[in-house]
Amino acid sequence: MKNLDEMDRNIQLRSEEIGYKVTLLILSVWTFYDCWQVLVNGAKYSPLPGLIVCFVVCIQGFSQMAMKRKMIAGDEEYHEPNKFVWAIVGVIAVVAILLSIGTYFLMKA
């Protein structure tokens, strides 16, 4: 395997960034198109593209927080609260609230 120099690494990171953004854009357009079809034509709702967008954005955010936390671990200058754990707790709380509300409306209908 070829060792990448700094310019090659920057090119690779930049191309991965563009690919990530294009993927998110396509999934978002698919989600909005699917919602439009449900609202206008009464088609069956498919939550798959929206769930993929939420999952990808959460993984990107969590990995960024974990890498930042790992880089400053043990450093005397940086004392930051553990946002990673709070973010996970927040996501679990939001999912539980959304599931509770959805279940309530499903049971009521």
Side-chain angles (χ1 to χ4, degrees):
M1 181 170 190
K2 179 184 168 190
N3 288 335
L4 300 177
D5 63 358
E6 189 172 337
M7 185 180 78
D8 288 336
R9 277 185 263 153
N10 282 337
I11 290 171
Q12 185 177 4
L13 284 175
R14 182 80 177 133
S15 65
E16 288 173 354
E17 177 188 346
I18 291 171
Y20 174 75
K21 288 179 181 178
V22 168
T23 303
L24 280 182
L25 180 67
I26 290 170
L27 286 171
S28 299
V29 169
W30 183 14
T31 301
F32 287 124
Y33 177 76
D34 194 42
C35 290
W36 176 257
Q37 290 296 318
V38 169
L39 291 175
V40 173
N41 297 331
K44 185 179 177 188
Y45 178 66
S46 174
L48 184 63
L51 290 174
I52 292 173
V53 169
C54 291
F55 182 72
V56 167
V57 170
C58 285
I59 293 298
Q60 191 267 336
F62 287 147
S63 64
Q64 184 177 356
M65 280 190 273
M67 285 181 208
K68 183 178 178 183
R69 187 86 187 148
K70 188 176 179 181
M71 288 182 78
I72 63 172
D75 196 348
E76 297 288 328
E77 285 186 31
Y78 298 105
H79 293 284
E80 190 173 86
N82 195 352
K83 293 179 183 176
F84 184 68
V85 173
W86 284 109
I88 290 174
V89 171
V91 167
I92 290 171
V94 168
V95 168
I97 290 170
L98 290 176
L99 284 176
S100 300
I101 292 171
T103 304
Y104 172 76
F105 283 116
L106 279 176
M107 299 297 275
K108 191 175 179 181

